[in-house]
């Protein structure tokens, strides 16, 4: 399948497509400026900068909302309904129509208020987490919940508001699909985790009892990024309280964080963010500014981060290649098999989502999903969140947080107003397994190539089958184009059962 060049599209585009496309590009550039402001606030901005940054972010949100809801956009979309468009142009129209039709229903004042509240929320959350003081964050969370309810109601007052919010992050799979997948993961992973807990297997932990400096860990994760093929000309590495990646195909940045006792955590989170960045960098340069040059959605984005983190970074072939580097940078003496076992330890008593193992991770997602859904529906008050959070942790993982910092204050997402985001993590993990299985079928002896440090064949397959398409396809169509099948959890559950069954002698 070929992708049209922008010149071809421009020459063949009927009126008013060129003017419409230019308007869309300007909107994209403004959104990208907002992303850079968000990166700066989390990485380099001085602590005292929040009052100004919140106003700047609110102003930018107002401008982008105004551009998206411009009457001309609606007129262009109507005129293009019956126009002779090629497949790429039709995809651009489809994506902008969806965004426009949602945005015109939301008052500009509400958009600005959500943006300003989010900017102001960040330092409140950071201090509340540091001080283990949920009550200090509760009013901010209450305000954000109320604003997001208003947002969902403005878009469609007759639908489940959480379903409306979920579609901000995954517009095409549907909340019913997310619920079905999460229920299946809960039903099938909990018994597997129970079996692992009862197993007599004793997996290696070469980092146990040690302390590893941030400088040594940074050298290690930079080496990992070098090994995987991160493009430093279009990216950079920094630290942040909550690791994330952001950017465009010309500038995709990653962040990580370091725990002196857990270098494996830094390695895993850095590879995870690399997966996000390599997707962003794989988007077609020539389509920058339109949906054809943008990532499909957060489920697909998470599939790329989880694929690199779990199917590559937690694989034995990767550690057969990378073990010597880690031994040198961190001063340990472990075999590839020992690193592989350490990377795949199952810790049901772990309290922190971003430090969770590959299986119990999904219980963390399910917990957050259930709390979010009840908060938005009004079935749960913000004041009840710590108690309900702790009860669900005990029910699903048999462990209870001693502090809210280790419990309901650990994630940054609610400060952003990102309610509906969490299910995409599990959807992405499921999708990653399906995509990786197809890559293994297509790339001759992929394990051997990873063992040899040859990651280009996997990069190339993902770019060809996922990245280069941008938003050309809806989510399930993209999965079908890449794998020949509709989205399914079968591959992930088979992979998890086989991998951990072998590791834990089940």
């Amino acid at each position: 399948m070929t992708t049209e060049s922008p010149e071809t599209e421009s020459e063949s585009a009927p009126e008013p497509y060129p003017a419409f496309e230019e308007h869309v590009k300007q909107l994209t550039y403004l959104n990208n400026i907002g992303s850079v402001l968000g990166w700066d606030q989390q990485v380099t901005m001085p602590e005292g900068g929040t009052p100004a940054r919140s106003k700047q972010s609110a102003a930018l949100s107002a401008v982008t909302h105004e551009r998206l809801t411009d009457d001309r956009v609606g007129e262009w979309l109507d005129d293009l309904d019956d126009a002779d468009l090629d497949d790429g142009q039709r995809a651009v129209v489809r994506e902008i129509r969806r965004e426009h039709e949602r945005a015109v229903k939301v008052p500009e004042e509400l958009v600005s208020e959500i943006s300003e509240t989010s900017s102001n929320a960040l330092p409140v959350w950071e201090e509340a987490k540091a001080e283990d003081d949920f009550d200090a964050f509760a009013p901010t969370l209450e305000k954000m919940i109320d604003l997001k309810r208003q947002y969902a109601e403005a878009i469609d007052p007759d639908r489940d508001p959480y379903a409306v919010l979920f579609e901000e992050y995954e517009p095409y799979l549907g909340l019913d699909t997310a619920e079905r997948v999460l229920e299946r993961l809960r039903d099938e992973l909990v018994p597997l985790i129970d079996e692992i807990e009862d197993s007599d297997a004793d997996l290696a932990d070469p980092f146990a009892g040690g302390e590893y400096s941030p400088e040594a860990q940074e050298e290690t994760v930079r080496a990992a990024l070098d090994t995987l093929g991160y493009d430093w000309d279009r990216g950079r590495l920094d630290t942040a309280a909550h690791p994330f990646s952001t950017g465009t195909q010309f500038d995709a940045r990653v962040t990580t964080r370091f725990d002196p006792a857990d270098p494996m955590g830094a390695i895993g989170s850095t590879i995870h963010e690399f997966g996000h960045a390599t997707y962003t960098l794989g988007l077609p340069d020539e389509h920058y500014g339109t949906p054809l040059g943008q990532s499909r959605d957060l489920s697909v984005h998470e599939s790329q981060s989880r694929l690199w983190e779990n199917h590559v970074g937690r694989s034995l072939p990767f550690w057969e290649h990378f073990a010597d580097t880690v031994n040198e940078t961190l001063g340990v003496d472990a075999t590839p098999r020992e690193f592989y076992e350490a990377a795949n330890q199952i810790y049901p008593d772990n309290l922190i989502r971003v430090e969770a193992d590959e299986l119990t991770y999904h219980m963390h997602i399910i917990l957050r999903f259930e709390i979010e859904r009840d908060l938005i529906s009004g079935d749960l008050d913000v004041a009840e969140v710590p108690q309900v959070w702790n009860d669900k942790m005990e029910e699903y993982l048999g462990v209870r947080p001693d502090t809210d910092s280790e419990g309901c204050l650990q994630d940054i997402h609610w400060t952003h107003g990102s309610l509906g985001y969490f299910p995409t993590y599990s959807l992405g993990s499921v999708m990653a397994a399906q995509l990786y299985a197809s890559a293994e079928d297509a790339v001759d002896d992929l394990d051997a190539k990873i063992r040899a440090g040859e990651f280009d064949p996997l990069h190339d397959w993902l770019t060809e089958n996922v990245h280069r398409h941008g938003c050309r396809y809806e989510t399930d169509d993209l999965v079908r184009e890449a794998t020949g099948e509709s989205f399914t959890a079968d591959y992930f559950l088979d992979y998890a059962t086989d991998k951990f069954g072998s590791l834990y002698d089940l």
Side-chain angles (χ1 to χ4, degrees):
M1 180 181 297
T2 58
T3 301
E4 301 91 338
S5 70
E7 293 79 16
T8 301
E9 289 180 355
S10 177
E11 290 168 4
S12 64
E15 293 294 339
Y17 189 85
F20 165 73
E21 185 183 70
E22 182 58 32
H23 188 91
V24 168
K25 287 180 176 178
Q26 295 299 317
L27 174 63
T28 301
Y29 305 153
L30 290 170
N31 283 325
N32 292 161
I33 292 169
S35 295
V36 174
L37 288 178
W39 173 88
D40 176 70
Q41 183 172 10
Q42 294 186 60
V43 175
T44 64
M45 190 186 81
E47 291 183 9
T50 300
R53 181 53 45 85
S54 64
K55 297 296 184 185
Q56 295 159 4
S57 297
L60 186 60
S61 292
V63 171
T64 55
H65 183 75
E66 181 181 357
R67 176 167 284 270
L68 180 57
T69 58
D70 191 317
D71 289 343
R72 290 177 299 168
V73 175
E75 293 168 2
W76 286 326
L77 290 169
D78 289 342
D79 290 343
L80 291 168
D81 257 347
D82 300 318
D84 184 19
L85 303 176
D86 62 36
D87 289 346
Q89 292 161 353
R90 277 195 293 272
V92 171
V93 169
R94 179 194 69 224
E95 294 300 310
I96 299 303
R97 181 183 299 282
R98 182 183 64 81
E99 293 183 27
H100 173 76
E101 289 179 349
R102 288 171 69 91
V104 293
K105 300 174 182 177
V106 182
E108 184 178 312
E109 297 80 11
L110 179 57
V111 173
S112 295
E113 188 174 5
I114 289 172
S115 178
E116 186 170 354
T117 300
S118 176
S119 288
N120 286 327
L122 181 60
V124 176
W125 167 75
E126 289 176 333
E127 184 173 352
K129 182 180 178 184
E131 299 296 327
D132 185 30
D133 186 1
F134 180 79
D135 289 344
F137 181 61
T140 297
L141 181 56
E142 286 175 349
K143 183 176 182 180
M144 185 60 78
I145 295 293
D146 179 60
L147 291 172
K148 298 303 284 191
R149 284 185 189 135
Q150 293 180 46
Y151 183 88
E153 184 176 7
I155 292 172
D156 194 338
D158 298 323
R159 292 181 60 213
D160 174 359
Y162 191 75
V164 175
L165 296 176
F166 172 73
E167 289 165 1
E168 291 283 300
Y169 310 104
E170 174 43 73
Y172 295 115
L173 287 180
L175 184 60
D176 56 339
T177 297
E179 290 176 331
R180 197 162 54 245
V181 168
L182 291 174
E183 288 172 6
R184 189 173 175 197
L185 294 183
R186 183 179 59 206
D187 292 345
E188 299 192 33
L189 292 183
V190 169
L192 178 58
I193 293 167
D194 288 342
E195 282 190 71
I196 289 171
E197 283 196 276
D198 293 337
S199 169
D200 293 329
D202 184 19
L203 271 59
D205 187 0
F207 298 119
E211 186 165 317
Y212 306 89
S213 70
E215 293 77 15
Q217 292 193 52
E218 181 171 348
E219 183 181 359
T220 305
V221 301
R222 284 185 177 276
L225 292 171
D226 285 338
T227 296
L228 295 172
Y230 186 49
D231 186 351
W232 293 103
D233 289 336
R234 297 191 182 197
R236 56 179 290 131
L237 172 70
D238 294 276
T239 58
H242 193 104
F244 69 100
S245 173
T246 190
T248 70
Q249 49 266 68
F250 299 99
D251 175 4
R253 307 174 187 188
V254 299
T255 64
T256 192
R257 65 180 181 186
F258 305 118
D259 178 343
D262 182 28
M264 190 62 78
I267 294 168
S269 66
T270 304
I271 295 176
H272 177 100
E273 301 307 336
F274 163 83
H276 282 303
T278 198
Y279 179 18
T280 303
L281 293 170
L283 296 167
D285 290 0
E286 67 271 19
H287 291 302
Y288 173 57
T290 81
L292 295 179
Q294 296 167 8
S295 57
R296 169 56 282 168
D297 50 53
L298 283 178
S299 297
V300 177
H301 231 309
E302 291 302 331
S303 79
Q304 301 308 285
S305 59
R306 300 295 280 176
L307 185 152
W308 284 96
E309 177 188 3
N310 294 330
H311 295 268
V312 177
R314 284 184 160 125
S315 72
L316 182 56
F318 173 79
W319 284 104
E320 287 172 333
H321 174 74
F322 197 56
D324 287 345
T325 298
V326 177
N327 281 328
E328 180 178 347
T329 57
L330 294 179
V332 292
D333 183 17
T335 66
R337 177 72 191 190
E338 288 171 329
F339 283 128
Y340 170 63
E341 291 183 4
N344 289 287
Q345 293 269 5
I346 300 300
Y347 298 108
D349 59 350
N350 169 65
L351 297 167
I352 308 301
R353 177 185 62 85
V354 295
E355 298 171 4
D357 59 75
E358 195 173 357
L359 296 185
T360 62
Y361 182 88
H362 299 285
M363 301 304 107
H364 291 260
I365 298 304
I366 291 166
L367 174 154
R368 288 156 174 77
F369 163 68
E370 292 174 347
I371 289 176
E372 283 189 348
R373 189 176 54 185
D374 288 347
L375 282 169
I376 293 297
S377 70
D379 292 335
L380 179 67
D381 292 333
V382 166
E384 300 174 292
V385 167
Q387 178 73 32
V388 172
W389 181 292
N390 294 348
D391 289 346
K392 287 182 179 292
M393 282 292 291
E394 191 164 27
E395 177 186 355
Y396 294 153
L397 294 170
V399 62
R400 194 172 188 89
D402 291 326
T403 69
D404 291 335
S405 296
E406 295 179 318
C408 59
L409 285 173
Q410 66 181 265
D411 290 305
I412 198 173
H413 298 65
W414 292 340
T415 71
H416 295 158
S418 299
L419 291 119
Y421 186 120
F422 280 115
T424 64
Y425 284 116
S426 287
L427 295 176
S429 292
V430 165
M431 194 181 297
Q434 186 172 352
L435 290 170
Y436 196 79
S438 290
E440 286 183 305
D441 288 342
V443 177
D444 184 47
D445 204 347
L446 182 54
D447 277 357
K449 289 180 170 58
I450 291 174
R451 190 177 296 112
E454 298 171 7
F455 295 97
D456 284 349
L458 180 57
H459 276 288
D460 292 345
W461 188 91
L462 290 169
T463 299
E464 174 68 19
N465 291 281
V466 179
H467 306 167
R468 74 180 180 93
H469 295 307
C471 290
R472 182 176 296 270
Y473 300 110
E474 296 181 9
T475 309
D476 194 51
D477 292 336
L478 177 63
V479 173
R480 195 179 298 108
E481 284 285 323
T483 70
E485 297 179 74
S486 291
F487 177 61
T488 174
D490 292 346
Y491 288 93
F492 174 76
L493 289 165
D494 288 346
Y495 152 81
T497 301
D498 291 346
K499 175 180 176 179
F500 292 98
S502 175
L503 273 163
Y504 283 89
D505 299 327
L506 303 182

